[in-house]
Amino acid sequence: MEREVVNVDLGDRSYDILIGPNLVPNAGALIKPFLKRNHVVIITDENVARLHLATLEKGLIAQGISSAALKLPAGEATKSWEMLQKTTEWLLSEKVERDDIVIAFGGGVIGDLAGFAAAIMRRGVRFVQIPTSLLAQVDSSVGGKTGINSPHGKNLVGAFYQPQMVLADVEVLGTLKPRDFLAGYGEVIKYGMLGDLKFFTWLEENGPAMAAGDMEKRIYAVKRSCQMKADIVARDEKEHGDRALLNLGHTFCHALEAATGYSDRLLHGEGVAIGCALAFETSMRLGLCAQEAPSRVRAHLKNMNMKVDLSDIEGELPDADALIKLMSQDKKVQNGKLAFIMARSIGDSFVDRNVDLTVVKSVLEDALSLRQ
Ligand code: NAD
């Protein structure tokens, strides 16, 4: 199997994303050129540590690189002030220097937290992302958004801070729970839906084999997703324009995540998938896209055994007005106006700041009524 490389072109902050098998065992050799001394610190979570930390450490030792690791609890609750403090104090106690490399080794939670800790440590210590979940490989490890959650909402405290390199080892995806894999797949199809009909069609044909473990297909899907994200980030790093397209489905998703308390009731990628289905439904009702588009989106999600409807979320949900209120906490609100990513068709999306909220409300009301 070939190793693929995608470059994120950001001038003197450009970096490579390596995608392939065997990258965790070889991380020592790949990181070595970046080191000023033969020592690194690793931030990871308890699940990833149990399954993959020994392999990473072995590869580092083979290159004469010593390491220390901080193992944090797994889960969204770790993206908190408390864990940020714990991480930064630990980095200081490890005497991490400005020229050192911090390795973020885990899913999106660890990548976001460790990246933010690296950004604020000594006003910026370099870091390398080794994403271990599908979601982190195709999305959160690329593009430099780092941060934590606040009691006021998700990802509200953070920084843009780019890594030195990203190592996406598709083999480590083999230990993900199927539910976590499919949550990541929600972000993969998002790329097809927002800007590449050909990729969406490829996923319709190859998604099931990819989920079942086909490595070549996993490499292709991660590469295509990273390419699309890298292109958008290179055009608009700080989200003044095009980068907002990556938020397809996210305005709905963030409201649903808040309504379910950022808990296991709804994983982020599951919320993205449901949010995309709702965004296409809204686009259709606004007369922006044909009826066929939301039907095709839903059919593929169902074929992948993913959550599609609000009725797939267990437990109570608030009413449509309350969900719309939760959307207004979104970072994309400008002058009180909500930004939605709407679609003209699968593969053709745009930012719309003038969506009629009565239509959004009717979409949510109909979706909620199916739960009874
Ligand atoms: P996560 O980090 O919680 O990982 C999901 C679960 O999978 C965890 O239990 C973790 O321990 C486990 N895990 C990770 N890798 C594994 C492996 N190889 N084998 C077995 N288990 C493994 O969540 P996630 O879905 O990776 O990421 C979600 C987070 O990413 C959210 O906080 C979201 O806000 C953030 N995010 C950030 C960006 C960004 O641009 N920074 C983009 C999208 C999402």
Side-chain angles (χ1 to χ4, degrees):
M1 269 177 293
E2 290 282 309
R3 182 185 292 172
E4 302 280 352
V5 183
V6 172
N7 184 258
V8 185
D9 183 4
L10 288 169
D12 60 359
R13 288 172 299 110
S14 297
Y15 54 94
D16 283 338
I17 308 163
L18 276 54
I19 303 147
N22 251 320
L23 295 174
V24 170
N26 287 307
L30 294 163
I31 290 171
K32 197 161 186 171
F34 293 88
L35 298 182
K36 302 265 163 69
R37 61 173 174 152
N38 282 331
H39 183 74
V40 292
V41 283
I42 303 163
I43 318 278
T44 187
D45 77 22
E46 283 157 3
N47 292 338
V48 176
R50 182 168 37 81
L51 294 161
H52 301 291
L53 184 58
T55 310
L56 175 61
E57 287 171 339
K58 204 171 148 201
L60 290 166
I61 290 166
Q63 296 293 320
I65 304 166
S66 59
S67 63
L70 175 66
K71 299 168 201 168
L72 298 170
E76 187 69 30
T78 288
K79 266 172 65 172
S80 63
W81 285 110
E82 186 195 347
M83 291 297 158
L84 178 68
Q85 182 176 13
K86 182 171 173 165
T87 304
T88 47
E89 292 300 332
W90 179 79
L91 291 171
L92 290 171
S93 70
E94 287 293 319
K95 303 197 169 38
V96 167
E97 296 172 11
R98 251 221 166 139
D99 283 336
D100 284 344
I101 291 277
V102 174
I103 298 179
F105 187 45
V109 164
I110 289 298
D112 282 10
L113 173 81
F116 188 35
I120 59 175
M121 269 293 301
R122 301 190 195 284
R123 300 201 177 88
V125 174
R126 298 173 308 154
F127 84 117
V128 166
Q129 289 268 18
I130 308 187
T132 60
S133 69
L134 179 60
L135 183 140
Q137 295 193 354
V138 298
D139 194 355
S140 61
S141 66
V142 176
K145 279 192 185 177
T146 69
I148 57 168
N149 303 325
S150 137
H152 288 284
K154 221 173 120 69
N155 297 329
L156 290 180
V157 179
F160 284 99
Y161 192 60
Q162 302 292 344
Q164 300 295 306
M165 177 169 65
V166 181
L167 301 177
D169 185 335
V170 291
E171 273 178 334
V172 299
L173 302 179
T175 55
L176 277 175
K177 291 188 183 134
R179 187 180 173 196
D180 286 316
F181 185 90
L182 285 181
Y185 189 81
E187 299 278 10
V188 175
I189 32 175
K190 180 194 78 178
Y191 290 106
M193 290 187 266
L194 75 87
D196 188 350
L197 173 61
K198 216 170 126 207
F199 185 42
F200 185 85
T201 307
W202 185 91
L203 290 167
E204 283 178 320
E205 279 162 26
N206 297 287
M210 186 199 151
D214 186 311
M215 282 300 164
E216 300 280 2
K217 293 192 195 310
R218 285 184 178 189
I219 291 174
Y220 177 74
V222 173
K223 178 184 154 199
R224 183 68 197 118
S225 301
C226 287
Q227 258 171 356
M228 286 189 71
K229 182 150 186 186
D231 285 352
I232 290 175
V233 168
R235 285 204 301 274
D236 177 25
E237 183 184 8
K238 302 245 164 105
E239 202 169 308
H240 300 301
D242 266 13
R243 186 163 179 167
L245 297 178
L246 295 169
N247 295 321
L248 176 62
H250 281 61
T251 308
F252 291 101
C253 169
H254 287 162
L256 293 170
E257 281 185 289
T260 49
Y262 306 103
S263 68
D264 265 9
R265 279 176 66 199
L266 184 72
L267 303 179
H268 176 73
E270 293 173 339
V272 170
I274 296 173
C276 286
L278 291 169
F280 271 85
E281 179 66 26
T282 309
S283 301
M284 190 271 287
R285 290 198 194 182
L286 287 166
L288 297 166
C289 72
Q291 162 72 50
E292 191 229 346
S295 307
R296 191 169 163 188
V297 165
R298 291 172 54 81
H300 182 47
L301 293 172
K302 278 194 192 275
N303 189 34
M304 294 299 292
N305 289 318
M306 294 173 69
K307 288 187 169 61
V308 188
D309 294 306
L310 296 189
S311 53
D312 295 328
I313 304 171
E314 277 175 25
E316 292 296 307
L317 282 179
D319 65 16
D321 282 322
L323 286 172
I324 289 176
K325 213 168 162 200
L326 286 170
M327 289 176 184
S328 63
Q329 185 53 264
D330 202 277
K331 287 192 296 305
K332 296 178 292 302
V333 173
Q334 264 179 16
N335 302 325
K337 285 223 161 185
L338 273 167
F340 284 88
I341 312 305
M342 293 285 105
R344 294 183 195 95
S345 61
I346 294 174
D348 183 5
S349 64
F350 65 102
V351 184
D352 192 343
R353 293 196 177 273
N354 292 305
V355 170
D356 181 351
L357 286 183
T358 57
V359 175
V360 176
K361 188 176 167 185
S362 76
V363 168
L364 288 170
E365 277 170 349
D366 291 349
L368 286 163
S369 73
L370 292 173
R371 290 167 57 82
Q372 271 119 44

PDB file of all heavy atoms in Angstrom, residues 117-132:
ATOM      1  N   ALA A 117      -3.300  23.565  24.057  1.00  0.00           N
ATOM      2  CA  ALA A 117      -2.277  23.640  25.114  1.00  0.00           C
ATOM      3  C   ALA A 117      -0.926  24.025  24.495  1.00  0.00           C
ATOM      4  O   ALA A 117      -0.208  24.875  25.028  1.00  0.00           O
ATOM      5  CB  ALA A 117      -2.183  22.303  25.853  1.00  0.00           C
ATOM      6  N   ALA A 118      -0.598  23.425  23.344  1.00  0.00           N
ATOM      7  CA  ALA A 118       0.673  23.754  22.671  1.00  0.00           C
ATOM      8  C   ALA A 118       0.686  25.221  22.227  1.00  0.00           C
ATOM      9  O   ALA A 118       1.705  25.903  22.312  1.00  0.00           O
ATOM     10  CB  ALA A 118       0.884  22.830  21.467  1.00  0.00           C
ATOM     11  N   ALA A 119      -0.492  25.710  21.785  1.00  0.00           N
ATOM     12  CA  ALA A 119      -0.565  27.101  21.299  1.00  0.00           C
ATOM     13  C   ALA A 119      -0.278  28.105  22.411  1.00  0.00           C
ATOM     14  O   ALA A 119       0.329  29.151  22.166  1.00  0.00           O
ATOM     15  CB  ALA A 119      -1.959  27.369  20.712  1.00  0.00           C
ATOM     16  N   ILE A 120      -0.720  27.793  23.627  1.00  0.00           N
ATOM     17  CA  ILE A 120      -0.579  28.790  24.706  1.00  0.00           C
ATOM     18  C   ILE A 120       0.628  28.530  25.605  1.00  0.00           C
ATOM     19  O   ILE A 120       1.017  29.395  26.379  1.00  0.00           O
ATOM     20  CB  ILE A 120      -1.876  28.894  25.565  1.00  0.00           C
ATOM     21  CG1 ILE A 120      -2.242  27.547  26.196  1.00  0.00           C
ATOM     22  CG2 ILE A 120      -3.023  29.422  24.728  1.00  0.00           C
ATOM     23  CD1 ILE A 120      -3.445  27.621  27.143  1.00  0.00           C
ATOM     24  N   MET A 121       1.251  27.357  25.495  1.00  0.00           N
ATOM     25  CA  MET A 121       2.455  27.048  26.285  1.00  0.00           C
ATOM     26  C   MET A 121       3.614  27.898  25.796  1.00  0.00           C
ATOM     27  O   MET A 121       3.965  27.834  24.617  1.00  0.00           O
ATOM     28  CB  MET A 121       2.865  25.597  26.034  1.00  0.00           C
ATOM     29  CG  MET A 121       2.291  24.607  26.973  1.00  0.00           C
ATOM     30  SD  MET A 121       2.939  24.838  28.614  1.00  0.00           S
ATOM     31  CE  MET A 121       4.651  24.637  28.323  1.00  0.00           C
ATOM     32  N   ARG A 122       4.190  28.656  26.660  1.00  0.00           N
ATOM     33  CA  ARG A 122       5.339  29.501  26.293  1.00  0.00           C
ATOM     34  C   ARG A 122       5.058  30.271  24.995  1.00  0.00           C
ATOM     35  O   ARG A 122       5.905  30.409  24.132  1.00  0.00           O
ATOM     36  CB  ARG A 122       6.604  28.661  26.122  1.00  0.00           C
ATOM     37  CG  ARG A 122       6.977  27.885  27.385  1.00  0.00           C
ATOM     38  CD  ARG A 122       8.350  27.266  27.266  1.00  0.00           C
ATOM     39  NE  ARG A 122       8.569  26.250  28.281  1.00  0.00           N
ATOM     40  CZ  ARG A 122       8.839  26.507  29.556  1.00  0.00           C
ATOM     41  NH1 ARG A 122       8.921  27.744  29.971  1.00  0.00           N
ATOM     42  NH2 ARG A 122       9.020  25.523  30.412  1.00  0.00           N
ATOM     43  N   ARG A 123       3.811  30.679  24.827  1.00  0.00           N
ATOM     44  CA  ARG A 123       3.321  31.393  23.630  1.00  0.00           C
ATOM     45  C   ARG A 123       3.505  30.593  22.341  1.00  0.00           C
ATOM     46  O   ARG A 123       3.626  31.150  21.262  1.00  0.00           O
ATOM     47  CB  ARG A 123       3.984  32.762  23.490  1.00  0.00           C
ATOM     48  CG  ARG A 123       3.716  33.665  24.674  1.00  0.00           C
ATOM     49  CD  ARG A 123       3.904  35.126  24.344  1.00  0.00           C
ATOM     50  NE  ARG A 123       3.548  35.914  25.507  1.00  0.00           N
ATOM     51  CZ  ARG A 123       4.400  36.235  26.474  1.00  0.00           C
ATOM     52  NH1 ARG A 123       5.652  35.852  26.406  1.00  0.00           N
ATOM     53  NH2 ARG A 123       4.008  36.933  27.497  1.00  0.00           N
ATOM     54  N   GLY A 124       3.556  29.280  22.477  1.00  0.00           N
ATOM     55  CA  GLY A 124       3.573  28.457  21.264  1.00  0.00           C
ATOM     56  C   GLY A 124       4.719  27.468  21.202  1.00  0.00           C
ATOM     57  O   GLY A 124       5.847  27.841  20.934  1.00  0.00           O
ATOM     58  N   VAL A 125       4.387  26.204  21.482  1.00  0.00           N
ATOM     59  CA  VAL A 125       5.345  25.106  21.320  1.00  0.00           C
ATOM     60  C   VAL A 125       4.879  24.315  20.097  1.00  0.00           C
ATOM     61  O   VAL A 125       3.671  24.151  19.893  1.00  0.00           O
ATOM     62  CB  VAL A 125       5.344  24.194  22.573  1.00  0.00           C
ATOM     63  CG1 VAL A 125       6.228  22.983  22.363  1.00  0.00           C
ATOM     64  CG2 VAL A 125       5.784  24.972  23.797  1.00  0.00           C
ATOM     65  N   ARG A 126       5.810  23.854  19.279  1.00  0.00           N
ATOM     66  CA  ARG A 126       5.412  23.157  18.051  1.00  0.00           C
ATOM     67  C   ARG A 126       4.716  21.834  18.398  1.00  0.00           C
ATOM     68  O   ARG A 126       5.018  21.220  19.422  1.00  0.00           O
ATOM     69  CB  ARG A 126       6.633  22.893  17.179  1.00  0.00           C
ATOM     70  CG  ARG A 126       7.330  24.186  16.733  1.00  0.00           C
ATOM     71  CD  ARG A 126       8.616  23.899  16.012  1.00  0.00           C
ATOM     72  NE  ARG A 126       9.468  23.026  16.775  1.00  0.00           N
ATOM     73  CZ  ARG A 126      10.397  22.224  16.245  1.00  0.00           C
ATOM     74  NH1 ARG A 126      10.591  22.198  14.944  1.00  0.00           N
ATOM     75  NH2 ARG A 126      11.133  21.444  17.009  1.00  0.00           N
ATOM     76  N   PHE A 127       3.791  21.423  17.531  1.00  0.00           N
ATOM     77  CA  PHE A 127       3.147  20.135  17.797  1.00  0.00           C
ATOM     78  C   PHE A 127       2.884  19.348  16.524  1.00  0.00           C
ATOM     79  O   PHE A 127       2.838  19.909  15.427  1.00  0.00           O
ATOM     80  CB  PHE A 127       1.894  20.307  18.663  1.00  0.00           C
ATOM     81  CG  PHE A 127       0.613  20.673  17.936  1.00  0.00           C
ATOM     82  CD1 PHE A 127      -0.480  19.804  17.942  1.00  0.00           C
ATOM     83  CD2 PHE A 127       0.483  21.894  17.271  1.00  0.00           C
ATOM     84  CE1 PHE A 127      -1.669  20.138  17.300  1.00  0.00           C
ATOM     85  CE2 PHE A 127      -0.702  22.232  16.629  1.00  0.00           C
ATOM     86  CZ  PHE A 127      -1.784  21.357  16.651  1.00  0.00           C
ATOM     87  N   VAL A 128       2.790  18.031  16.708  1.00  0.00           N
ATOM     88  CA  VAL A 128       2.511  17.104  15.609  1.00  0.00           C
ATOM     89  C   VAL A 128       1.215  16.379  15.947  1.00  0.00           C
ATOM     90  O   VAL A 128       1.008  15.959  17.085  1.00  0.00           O
ATOM     91  CB  VAL A 128       3.670  16.086  15.449  1.00  0.00           C
ATOM     92  CG1 VAL A 128       3.260  14.922  14.560  1.00  0.00           C
ATOM     93  CG2 VAL A 128       4.911  16.779  14.884  1.00  0.00           C
ATOM     94  N   GLN A 129       0.359  16.276  14.978  1.00  0.00           N
ATOM     95  CA  GLN A 129      -0.901  15.547  15.180  1.00  0.00           C
ATOM     96  C   GLN A 129      -0.731  14.104  14.706  1.00  0.00           C
ATOM     97  O   GLN A 129      -0.317  13.871  13.560  1.00  0.00           O
ATOM     98  CB  GLN A 129      -2.009  16.188  14.330  1.00  0.00           C
ATOM     99  CG  GLN A 129      -2.482  17.547  14.786  1.00  0.00           C
ATOM    100  CD  GLN A 129      -3.684  17.461  15.732  1.00  0.00           C
ATOM    101  OE1 GLN A 129      -3.973  16.413  16.320  1.00  0.00           O
ATOM    102  NE2 GLN A 129      -4.371  18.575  15.888  1.00  0.00           N
ATOM    103  N   ILE A 130      -1.044  13.160  15.587  1.00  0.00           N
ATOM    104  CA  ILE A 130      -1.177  11.764  15.135  1.00  0.00           C
ATOM    105  C   ILE A 130      -2.621  11.353  15.436  1.00  0.00           C
ATOM    106  O   ILE A 130      -2.939  10.822  16.508  1.00  0.00           O
ATOM    107  CB  ILE A 130      -0.168  10.808  15.822  1.00  0.00           C
ATOM    108  CG1 ILE A 130       1.263  11.349  15.690  1.00  0.00           C
ATOM    109  CG2 ILE A 130      -0.279   9.407  15.209  1.00  0.00           C
ATOM    110  CD1 ILE A 130       2.349  10.401  16.194  1.00  0.00           C
ATOM    111  N   PRO A 131      -3.529  11.675  14.502  1.00  0.00           N
ATOM    112  CA  PRO A 131      -4.946  11.414  14.742  1.00  0.00           C
ATOM    113  C   PRO A 131      -5.253   9.922  14.656  1.00  0.00           C
ATOM    114  O   PRO A 131      -4.773   9.245  13.743  1.00  0.00           O
ATOM    115  CB  PRO A 131      -5.632  12.181  13.606  1.00  0.00           C
ATOM    116  CG  PRO A 131      -4.601  12.258  12.511  1.00  0.00           C
ATOM    117  CD  PRO A 131      -3.270  12.315  13.193  1.00  0.00           C
ATOM    118  N   THR A 132      -6.042   9.432  15.594  1.00  0.00           N
ATOM    119  CA  THR A 132      -6.299   7.983  15.627  1.00  0.00           C
ATOM    120  C   THR A 132      -7.755   7.622  15.356  1.00  0.00           C
ATOM    121  O   THR A 132      -8.071   6.443  15.229  1.00  0.00           O
ATOM    122  CB  THR A 132      -5.895   7.402  17.003  1.00  0.00           C
ATOM    123  OG1 THR A 132      -6.675   8.058  18.013  1.00  0.00           O
ATOM    124  CG2 THR A 132      -4.418   7.599  17.271  1.00  0.00           C
TER     125      THR A 132
END
